[in-house]
mmCIF file of all heavy atoms in Angstrom:
data_model
loop_
_atom_site.group_PDB
_atom_site.id
_atom_site.type_symbol
_atom_site.label_atom_id
_atom_site.label_comp_id
_atom_site.label_asym_id
_atom_site.label_seq_id
_atom_site.Cartn_x
_atom_site.Cartn_y
_atom_site.Cartn_z
ATOM 1 N N GLN A 43 100.180 115.273 104.951
ATOM 2 C CA GLN A 43 99.883 115.815 106.285
ATOM 3 C C GLN A 43 99.822 114.694 107.317
ATOM 4 O O GLN A 43 100.146 114.909 108.482
ATOM 5 C CB GLN A 43 98.565 116.590 106.266
ATOM 6 C CG GLN A 43 98.698 117.932 105.565
ATOM 7 C CD GLN A 43 97.380 118.687 105.478
ATOM 8 O OE1 GLN A 43 96.332 118.181 105.864
ATOM 9 N NE2 GLN A 43 97.429 119.895 104.944
ATOM 10 N N GLN A 44 99.403 113.506 106.887
ATOM 11 C CA GLN A 44 99.360 112.353 107.797
ATOM 12 C C GLN A 44 100.765 111.829 108.063
ATOM 13 O O GLN A 44 101.126 111.544 109.200
ATOM 14 C CB GLN A 44 98.508 111.225 107.210
ATOM 15 C CG GLN A 44 97.035 111.568 107.090
ATOM 16 C CD GLN A 44 96.271 110.533 106.276
ATOM 17 O OE1 GLN A 44 96.810 109.495 105.897
ATOM 18 N NE2 GLN A 44 95.016 110.825 105.996
ATOM 19 N N THR A 45 101.538 111.667 107.008
ATOM 20 C CA THR A 45 102.903 111.164 107.134
ATOM 21 C C THR A 45 103.756 111.684 105.989
ATOM 22 O O THR A 45 103.286 111.757 104.853
ATOM 23 C CB THR A 45 102.947 109.618 107.152
ATOM 24 O OG1 THR A 45 104.301 109.195 107.260
ATOM 25 C CG2 THR A 45 102.315 109.005 105.914
ATOM 26 N N GLN A 46 104.998 112.052 106.312
ATOM 27 C CA GLN A 46 105.893 112.578 105.285
ATOM 28 C C GLN A 46 106.626 111.468 104.541
ATOM 29 O O GLN A 46 107.265 111.714 103.526
ATOM 30 C CB GLN A 46 106.912 113.527 105.911
ATOM 31 C CG GLN A 46 106.294 114.807 106.406
ATOM 32 C CD GLN A 46 107.333 115.791 106.897
ATOM 33 O OE1 GLN A 46 108.522 115.628 106.658
ATOM 34 N NE2 GLN A 46 106.882 116.823 107.579
ATOM 35 N N TYR A 47 106.552 110.256 105.062
ATOM 36 C CA TYR A 47 107.236 109.126 104.441
ATOM 37 C C TYR A 47 106.266 107.981 104.225
ATOM 38 O O TYR A 47 105.496 107.640 105.127
ATOM 39 C CB TYR A 47 108.407 108.651 105.317
ATOM 40 C CG TYR A 47 109.515 109.665 105.408
ATOM 41 C CD1 TYR A 47 109.493 110.669 106.371
ATOM 42 C CD2 TYR A 47 110.588 109.635 104.522
ATOM 43 C CE1 TYR A 47 110.501 111.614 106.455
ATOM 44 C CE2 TYR A 47 111.604 110.573 104.594
ATOM 45 C CZ TYR A 47 111.555 111.552 105.562
ATOM 46 O OH TYR A 47 112.553 112.486 105.634
ATOM 47 N N LEU A 48 106.310 107.377 103.042
ATOM 48 C CA LEU A 48 105.440 106.253 102.727
ATOM 49 C C LEU A 48 106.254 104.969 102.651
ATOM 50 O O LEU A 48 107.333 104.950 102.049
ATOM 51 C CB LEU A 48 104.756 106.461 101.368
ATOM 52 C CG LEU A 48 103.744 107.592 101.244
ATOM 53 C CD1 LEU A 48 103.227 107.656 99.819
ATOM 54 C CD2 LEU A 48 102.595 107.388 102.206
ATOM 55 N N ALA A 49 105.717 103.891 103.230
ATOM 56 C CA ALA A 49 106.303 102.572 103.046
ATOM 57 C C ALA A 49 105.956 102.105 101.630
ATOM 58 O O ALA A 49 105.017 102.615 101.011
ATOM 59 C CB ALA A 49 105.754 101.604 104.084
ATOM 60 N N LEU A 50 106.691 101.134 101.130
ATOM 61 C CA LEU A 50 106.466 100.648 99.764
ATOM 62 C C LEU A 50 105.023 100.227 99.495
ATOM 63 O O LEU A 50 104.449 100.641 98.483
ATOM 64 C CB LEU A 50 107.417 99.487 99.455
ATOM 65 C CG LEU A 50 108.870 99.889 99.171
ATOM 66 C CD1 LEU A 50 109.758 98.656 99.078
ATOM 67 C CD2 LEU A 50 108.957 100.691 97.898
ATOM 68 N N PRO A 51 104.397 99.439 100.370
ATOM 69 C CA PRO A 51 103.003 99.057 100.085
ATOM 70 C C PRO A 51 102.058 100.255 100.072
ATOM 71 O O PRO A 51 101.131 100.304 99.262
ATOM 72 C CB PRO A 51 102.635 98.111 101.231
ATOM 73 C CG PRO A 51 103.909 97.707 101.858
ATOM 74 C CD PRO A 51 104.896 98.791 101.563
ATOM 75 N N GLU A 52 102.316 101.234 100.954
ATOM 76 C CA GLU A 52 101.489 102.445 100.984
ATOM 77 C C GLU A 52 101.647 103.236 99.691
ATOM 78 O O GLU A 52 100.675 103.754 99.146
ATOM 79 C CB GLU A 52 101.887 103.333 102.172
ATOM 80 C CG GLU A 52 101.616 102.726 103.530
ATOM 81 C CD GLU A 52 102.205 103.549 104.660
ATOM 82 O OE1 GLU A 52 103.296 104.120 104.484
ATOM 83 O OE2 GLU A 52 101.559 103.614 105.715
ATOM 84 N N ARG A 53 102.883 103.319 99.232
ATOM 85 C CA ARG A 53 103.160 104.043 97.992
ATOM 86 C C ARG A 53 102.477 103.363 96.803
ATOM 87 O O ARG A 53 101.872 104.023 95.958
ATOM 88 C CB ARG A 53 104.669 104.132 97.760
ATOM 89 C CG ARG A 53 105.038 105.020 96.605
ATOM 90 C CD ARG A 53 106.516 105.239 96.509
ATOM 91 N NE ARG A 53 107.183 104.062 95.993
ATOM 92 C CZ ARG A 53 108.474 103.794 96.139
ATOM 93 N NH1 ARG A 53 109.250 104.601 96.817
ATOM 94 N NH2 ARG A 53 109.003 102.722 95.613
ATOM 95 N N ALA A 54 102.555 102.048 96.766
ATOM 96 C CA ALA A 54 101.936 101.286 95.674
ATOM 97 C C ALA A 54 100.420 101.481 95.678
ATOM 98 O O ALA A 54 99.805 101.685 94.632
ATOM 99 C CB ALA A 54 102.288 99.805 95.801
ATOM 100 N N GLU A 55 99.828 101.435 96.878
ATOM 101 C CA GLU A 55 98.378 101.600 97.010
ATOM 102 C C GLU A 55 97.943 103.004 96.577
ATOM 103 O O GLU A 55 96.986 103.164 95.827
ATOM 104 C CB GLU A 55 97.965 101.334 98.455
ATOM 105 C CG GLU A 55 96.479 101.387 98.689
ATOM 106 C CD GLU A 55 96.111 101.211 100.162
ATOM 107 O OE1 GLU A 55 96.982 100.818 100.960
ATOM 108 O OE2 GLU A 55 94.948 101.497 100.498
ATOM 109 N N LEU A 56 98.660 104.012 97.060
ATOM 110 C CA LEU A 56 98.324 105.393 96.725
ATOM 111 C C LEU A 56 98.470 105.643 95.220
ATOM 112 O O LEU A 56 97.607 106.269 94.601
ATOM 113 C CB LEU A 56 99.212 106.363 97.518
ATOM 114 C CG LEU A 56 98.916 107.847 97.376
ATOM 115 C CD1 LEU A 56 97.492 108.178 97.789
ATOM 116 C CD2 LEU A 56 99.912 108.668 98.181
ATOM 117 N N ALA A 57 99.544 105.137 94.643
ATOM 118 C CA ALA A 57 99.767 105.296 93.205
ATOM 119 C C ALA A 57 98.625 104.669 92.408
ATOM 120 O O ALA A 57 98.107 105.270 91.464
ATOM 121 C CB ALA A 57 101.098 104.677 92.802
ATOM 122 N N ALA A 58 98.217 103.467 92.804
ATOM 123 C CA ALA A 58 97.126 102.767 92.113
ATOM 124 C C ALA A 58 95.813 103.549 92.245
ATOM 125 O O ALA A 58 95.068 103.692 91.267
ATOM 126 C CB ALA A 58 96.970 101.356 92.663
ATOM 127 N N GLN A 59 95.553 104.071 93.436
ATOM 128 C CA GLN A 59 94.319 104.841 93.674
ATOM 129 C C GLN A 59 94.259 106.087 92.800
ATOM 130 O O GLN A 59 93.195 106.470 92.318
ATOM 131 C CB GLN A 59 94.233 105.273 95.137
ATOM 132 C CG GLN A 59 93.862 104.184 96.101
ATOM 133 C CD GLN A 59 93.954 104.665 97.554
ATOM 134 O OE1 GLN A 59 94.290 105.824 97.814
ATOM 135 N NE2 GLN A 59 93.678 103.772 98.484
ATOM 136 N N LEU A 60 95.417 106.726 92.613
ATOM 137 C CA LEU A 60 95.454 108.019 91.920
ATOM 138 C C LEU A 60 95.776 107.893 90.430
ATOM 139 O O LEU A 60 95.812 108.904 89.723
ATOM 140 C CB LEU A 60 96.481 108.938 92.593
ATOM 141 C CG LEU A 60 96.217 109.269 94.059
ATOM 142 C CD1 LEU A 60 97.324 110.141 94.616
ATOM 143 C CD2 LEU A 60 94.866 109.947 94.218
ATOM 144 N N GLY A 61 96.050 106.680 89.969
ATOM 145 C CA GLY A 61 96.383 106.493 88.562
ATOM 146 C C GLY A 61 97.746 107.052 88.200
ATOM 147 O O GLY A 61 97.957 107.546 87.098
ATOM 148 N N LEU A 62 98.684 106.987 89.158
ATOM 149 C CA LEU A 62 100.044 107.452 88.937
ATOM 150 C C LEU A 62 100.994 106.262 89.059
ATOM 151 O O LEU A 62 100.607 105.205 89.545
ATOM 152 C CB LEU A 62 100.430 108.502 89.993
ATOM 153 C CG LEU A 62 99.618 109.787 90.014
ATOM 154 C CD1 LEU A 62 99.930 110.591 91.269
ATOM 155 C CD2 LEU A 62 99.899 110.620 88.771
ATOM 156 N N THR A 63 102.237 106.453 88.639
ATOM 157 C CA THR A 63 103.233 105.410 88.857
ATOM 158 C C THR A 63 103.805 105.588 90.260
ATOM 159 O O THR A 63 103.731 106.673 90.852
ATOM 160 C CB THR A 63 104.385 105.494 87.831
ATOM 161 O OG1 THR A 63 105.102 106.705 88.046
ATOM 162 C CG2 THR A 63 103.864 105.430 86.405
ATOM 163 N N GLN A 64 104.406 104.518 90.784
ATOM 164 C CA GLN A 64 105.026 104.609 92.109
ATOM 165 C C GLN A 64 106.164 105.624 92.095
ATOM 166 O O GLN A 64 106.377 106.335 93.075
ATOM 167 C CB GLN A 64 105.548 103.242 92.542
ATOM 168 C CG GLN A 64 104.436 102.268 92.871
ATOM 169 C CD GLN A 64 104.952 101.000 93.486
ATOM 170 O OE1 GLN A 64 105.826 101.033 94.354
ATOM 171 N NE2 GLN A 64 104.414 99.863 93.059
ATOM 172 N N THR A 65 106.863 105.707 90.982
ATOM 173 C CA THR A 65 107.957 106.677 90.857
ATOM 174 C C THR A 65 107.438 108.105 90.944
ATOM 175 O O THR A 65 108.062 108.957 91.600
ATOM 176 C CB THR A 65 108.711 106.466 89.529
ATOM 177 O OG1 THR A 65 109.186 105.114 89.495
ATOM 178 C CG2 THR A 65 109.873 107.425 89.390
ATOM 179 N N GLN A 66 106.299 108.377 90.314
ATOM 180 C CA GLN A 66 105.723 109.726 90.376
ATOM 181 C C GLN A 66 105.350 110.086 91.804
ATOM 182 O O GLN A 66 105.587 111.215 92.253
ATOM 183 C CB GLN A 66 104.496 109.829 89.462
ATOM 184 C CG GLN A 66 104.837 109.847 87.987
ATOM 185 C CD GLN A 66 103.619 109.723 87.105
ATOM 186 O OE1 GLN A 66 102.695 108.966 87.398
ATOM 187 N NE2 GLN A 66 103.604 110.459 86.012
ATOM 188 N N VAL A 67 104.784 109.135 92.537
ATOM 189 C CA VAL A 67 104.411 109.382 93.934
ATOM 190 C C VAL A 67 105.667 109.587 94.776
ATOM 191 O O VAL A 67 105.746 110.521 95.580
ATOM 192 C CB VAL A 67 103.558 108.216 94.496
ATOM 193 C CG1 VAL A 67 103.332 108.370 95.989
ATOM 194 C CG2 VAL A 67 102.231 108.132 93.751
ATOM 195 N N LYS A 68 106.660 108.740 94.569
ATOM 196 C CA LYS A 68 107.911 108.840 95.332
ATOM 197 C C LYS A 68 108.559 110.208 95.122
ATOM 198 O O LYS A 68 108.935 110.888 96.090
ATOM 199 C CB LYS A 68 108.873 107.737 94.901
ATOM 200 C CG LYS A 68 110.212 107.774 95.622
ATOM 201 C CD LYS A 68 111.169 106.741 95.085
ATOM 202 C CE LYS A 68 111.826 107.257 93.839
ATOM 203 N NZ LYS A 68 112.922 106.411 93.342
ATOM 204 N N ILE A 69 108.672 110.631 93.874
ATOM 205 C CA ILE A 69 109.322 111.906 93.573
ATOM 206 C C ILE A 69 108.498 113.077 94.103
ATOM 207 O O ILE A 69 109.052 114.052 94.616
ATOM 208 C CB ILE A 69 109.597 112.029 92.062
ATOM 209 C CG1 ILE A 69 110.694 111.033 91.684
ATOM 210 C CG2 ILE A 69 109.981 113.451 91.679
ATOM 211 C CD1 ILE A 69 110.944 110.905 90.208
ATOM 212 N N TRP A 70 107.153 112.979 94.030
ATOM 213 C CA TRP A 70 106.309 114.047 94.568
ATOM 214 C C TRP A 70 106.581 114.207 96.069
ATOM 215 O O TRP A 70 106.742 115.327 96.556
ATOM 216 C CB TRP A 70 104.831 113.751 94.313
ATOM 217 C CG TRP A 70 103.961 114.899 94.710
ATOM 218 C CD1 TRP A 70 103.570 115.926 93.928
ATOM 219 C CD2 TRP A 70 103.420 115.165 96.018
ATOM 220 N NE1 TRP A 70 102.801 116.810 94.661
ATOM 221 C CE2 TRP A 70 102.700 116.378 95.946
ATOM 222 C CE3 TRP A 70 103.469 114.493 97.240
ATOM 223 C CZ2 TRP A 70 102.046 116.920 97.041
ATOM 224 C CZ3 TRP A 70 102.821 115.047 98.331
ATOM 225 C CH2 TRP A 70 102.113 116.246 98.234
ATOM 226 N N PHE A 71 106.650 113.086 96.785
ATOM 227 C CA PHE A 71 106.917 113.146 98.223
ATOM 228 C C PHE A 71 108.313 113.689 98.509
ATOM 229 O O PHE A 71 108.500 114.473 99.446
ATOM 230 C CB PHE A 71 106.722 111.771 98.877
ATOM 231 C CG PHE A 71 105.336 111.573 99.435
ATOM 232 C CD1 PHE A 71 104.276 111.268 98.601
ATOM 233 C CD2 PHE A 71 105.079 111.703 100.786
ATOM 234 C CE1 PHE A 71 102.987 111.099 99.098
ATOM 235 C CE2 PHE A 71 103.803 111.546 101.300
ATOM 236 C CZ PHE A 71 102.758 111.243 100.453
ATOM 237 N N GLN A 72 109.299 113.294 97.711
ATOM 238 C CA GLN A 72 110.660 113.819 97.896
ATOM 239 C C GLN A 72 110.671 115.337 97.723
ATOM 240 O O GLN A 72 111.257 116.057 98.540
ATOM 241 C CB GLN A 72 111.620 113.192 96.872
ATOM 242 C CG GLN A 72 111.976 111.762 97.168
ATOM 243 C CD GLN A 72 112.814 111.144 96.060
ATOM 244 O OE1 GLN A 72 112.847 111.625 94.928
ATOM 245 N NE2 GLN A 72 113.483 110.054 96.379
ATOM 246 N N ASN A 73 110.019 115.805 96.657
ATOM 247 C CA ASN A 73 109.977 117.243 96.392
ATOM 248 C C ASN A 73 109.214 117.992 97.480
ATOM 249 O O ASN A 73 109.618 119.075 97.915
ATOM 250 C CB ASN A 73 109.347 117.520 95.021
ATOM 251 C CG ASN A 73 110.238 117.078 93.886
ATOM 252 O OD1 ASN A 73 111.444 116.913 94.043
ATOM 253 N ND2 ASN A 73 109.645 116.874 92.725
ATOM 254 N N LYS A 74 108.116 117.409 97.937
ATOM 255 C CA LYS A 74 107.298 118.045 98.978
ATOM 256 C C LYS A 74 108.082 118.149 100.289
ATOM 257 O O LYS A 74 108.046 119.178 100.963
ATOM 258 C CB LYS A 74 106.004 117.242 99.170
ATOM 259 C CG LYS A 74 105.032 117.863 100.140
ATOM 260 C CD LYS A 74 104.397 119.109 99.567
ATOM 261 C CE LYS A 74 103.294 119.609 100.481
ATOM 262 N NZ LYS A 74 102.650 120.797 99.946
ATOM 263 N N ARG A 75 108.803 117.073 100.648
ATOM 264 C CA ARG A 75 109.627 117.113 101.870
ATOM 265 C C ARG A 75 110.689 118.191 101.769
ATOM 266 O O ARG A 75 110.941 118.935 102.726
ATOM 267 C CB ARG A 75 110.289 115.754 102.125
ATOM 268 C CG ARG A 75 109.384 114.721 102.727
ATOM 269 C CD ARG A 75 110.159 113.528 103.246
ATOM 270 N NE ARG A 75 110.917 112.844 102.229
ATOM 271 C CZ ARG A 75 110.469 111.822 101.501
ATOM 272 N NH1 ARG A 75 109.243 111.368 101.679
ATOM 273 N NH2 ARG A 75 111.245 111.259 100.614
ATOM 274 N N SER A 76 111.301 118.296 100.596
ATOM 275 C CA SER A 76 112.337 119.306 100.376
ATOM 276 C C SER A 76 111.769 120.720 100.526
ATOM 277 O O SER A 76 112.359 121.568 101.208
ATOM 278 C CB SER A 76 112.937 119.118 98.985
ATOM 279 O OG SER A 76 113.894 120.088 98.725
ATOM 280 N N LYS A 77 110.617 120.974 99.911
ATOM 281 C CA LYS A 77 109.964 122.284 100.027
ATOM 282 C C LYS A 77 109.562 122.569 101.468
ATOM 283 O O LYS A 77 109.723 123.685 101.958
ATOM 284 C CB LYS A 77 108.725 122.342 99.130
ATOM 285 C CG LYS A 77 109.030 122.424 97.659
ATOM 286 C CD LYS A 77 107.742 122.430 96.855
ATOM 287 C CE LYS A 77 108.011 122.273 95.374
ATOM 288 N NZ LYS A 77 106.776 122.151 94.594
ATOM 289 N N TYR A 78 109.037 121.546 102.151
ATOM 290 C CA TYR A 78 108.594 121.696 103.535
ATOM 291 C C TYR A 78 109.772 122.066 104.439
ATOM 292 O O TYR A 78 109.673 122.993 105.252
ATOM 293 C CB TYR A 78 107.944 120.386 103.998
ATOM 294 C CG TYR A 78 107.452 120.399 105.418
ATOM 295 C CD1 TYR A 78 106.269 121.057 105.767
ATOM 296 C CD2 TYR A 78 108.154 119.756 106.429
ATOM 297 C CE1 TYR A 78 105.809 121.068 107.067
ATOM 298 C CE2 TYR A 78 107.704 119.759 107.739
ATOM 299 C CZ TYR A 78 106.530 120.414 108.051
ATOM 300 O OH TYR A 78 106.083 120.428 109.344
ATOM 301 N N LYS A 79 110.897 121.377 104.275
ATOM 302 C CA LYS A 79 112.097 121.667 105.084
ATOM 303 C C LYS A 79 112.607 123.071 104.813
ATOM 304 O O LYS A 79 113.029 123.782 105.726
ATOM 305 C CB LYS A 79 113.180 120.636 104.806
ATOM 306 C CG LYS A 79 112.903 119.282 105.413
ATOM 307 C CD LYS A 79 113.944 118.272 105.042
ATOM 308 C CE LYS A 79 113.563 116.895 105.551
ATOM 309 N NZ LYS A 79 114.470 115.846 105.066
ATOM 310 N N LYS A 80 112.558 123.493 103.551
ATOM 311 C CA LYS A 80 113.008 124.831 103.174
ATOM 312 C C LYS A 80 112.147 125.897 103.836
ATOM 313 O O LYS A 80 112.651 126.895 104.369
ATOM 314 C CB LYS A 80 112.937 124.965 101.645
ATOM 315 C CG LYS A 80 113.587 126.196 101.080
ATOM 316 C CD LYS A 80 113.543 126.170 99.560
ATOM 317 C CE LYS A 80 114.135 127.404 98.955
ATOM 318 N NZ LYS A 80 114.060 127.388 97.493
ATOM 319 N N ILE A 81 110.830 125.680 103.832
ATOM 320 C CA ILE A 81 109.890 126.627 104.466
ATOM 321 C C ILE A 81 110.124 126.663 105.978
ATOM 322 O O ILE A 81 110.138 127.731 106.590
ATOM 323 C CB ILE A 81 108.426 126.255 104.128
ATOM 324 C CG1 ILE A 81 108.149 126.554 102.655
ATOM 325 C CG2 ILE A 81 107.446 127.019 105.016
ATOM 326 C CD1 ILE A 81 106.859 125.965 102.133
ATOM 327 N N MET A 82 110.321 125.490 106.583
ATOM 328 C CA MET A 82 110.531 125.425 108.036
ATOM 329 C C MET A 82 111.830 126.119 108.431
ATOM 330 O O MET A 82 111.911 126.738 109.497
ATOM 331 C CB MET A 82 110.549 123.977 108.523
ATOM 332 C CG MET A 82 109.209 123.242 108.356
ATOM 333 S SD MET A 82 107.809 124.108 109.083
ATOM 334 C CE MET A 82 108.085 123.794 110.808
ATOM 335 N N LYS A 83 112.833 126.041 107.583
ATOM 336 C CA LYS A 83 114.114 126.689 107.832
ATOM 337 C C LYS A 83 113.961 128.210 107.867
ATOM 338 O O LYS A 83 114.578 128.902 108.675
ATOM 339 C CB LYS A 83 115.110 126.300 106.739
ATOM 340 C CG LYS A 83 116.477 125.957 107.231
ATOM 341 C CD LYS A 83 117.364 125.544 106.066
ATOM 342 C CE LYS A 83 118.663 124.965 106.577
ATOM 343 N NZ LYS A 83 119.533 124.546 105.479
#
Side-chain angles (χ1 to χ4, degrees):
Q43 286 177 355
Q44 294 170 6
T45 179
Q46 291 186 13
Y47 293 87
L48 293 178
L50 284 172
E52 295 172 324
R53 188 172 75 200
E55 184 184 348
L56 185 58
Q59 285 174 0
L60 299 178
L62 298 169
T63 66
Q64 289 188 43
T65 303
Q66 288 171 321
V67 172
K68 179 185 82 172
I69 290 172
W70 187 91
F71 267 78
Q72 286 174 340
N73 290 339
K74 185 71 172 181
R75 282 193 300 269
S76 178
K77 288 178 190 175
Y78 180 76
K79 287 176 186 173
K80 190 176 178 181
I81 289 168
M82 295 307 285
K83 224 178 190 179

